[in-house]
Amino acid sequence: MPAHGSSVADARHRVRARLREWETDEGLRDDAEMIVSELFTNAVMHTGSEFITCGMGYDGTRLRLEVSDQGRAPTAPRPRAAGVDEEGGRGLLLVGALSQAWGVRPTDDGGGRVVWAELGPGAPPF
């Protein structure tokens, strides 16, 4: 998808629709939608990417979400302590609270990075 703020809502809606098709429960859909929104927004705001991709896999128990960018940010994503009056800065804290695990890895072609999160019972990663 294009790396524009307007694509965030499209990504959220696509994730929710696919999770409905997979007949996941409402709580998982809500959490996944929030996480994708945060990760996609961060990629738009902080990476200078032209496009961003979202992927997910579900094994009937655990859900893995991935948001890939072109890796143009000077630093890797990391949670930070936002001030009380700041509007932003809490997204990755929220991702950490809603997921069992999350992290960052290079894309398969090395031209960017993937920020991923896993939801579901605490189990080894995919």
Side-chain angles (χ1 to χ4, degrees):
M1 291 182 259
H4 299 127
S6 60
S7 296
V8 175
D10 188 28
R12 270 195 322 263
H13 296 303
R14 289 178 186 211
V15 165
R16 181 165 283 277
R18 177 59 51 96
L19 292 175
R20 265 195 218 109
E21 289 174 13
W22 289 344
E23 299 179 354
T24 62
D25 68 69
E26 188 71 23
L28 183 64
R29 290 193 297 259
D30 290 344
D31 290 350
E33 190 174 9
M34 180 67 70
I35 288 170
V36 165
S37 181
E38 293 296 335
L39 297 182
F40 201 104
T41 298
N42 283 351
V44 169
M45 292 179 61
H46 302 295
T47 69
S49 295
E50 295 174 24
F51 61 89
I52 298 166
T53 60
C54 293
M56 58 185 180
Y58 183 60
D59 68 2
T61 304
R62 290 178 298 125
L63 174 68
R64 183 176 176 105
L65 302 165
E66 296 186 344
V67 175
S68 304
D69 61 51
Q70 294 169 306
R72 295 181 177 157
T75 60
R78 60 180 173 76
R80 68 179 187 89
V84 175
D85 294 331
E86 290 183 78
E87 281 188 36
R90 294 170 189 83
L92 291 177
L93 294 173
L94 180 62
V95 170
L98 295 174
S99 64
Q100 274 59 53
W102 75 275
V104 183
R105 66 170 177 80
T107 56
D108 292 338
D109 67 6
R113 72 176 137 225
V114 177
V115 183
W116 57 268
E118 289 186 356
L119 293 82
F126 281 78

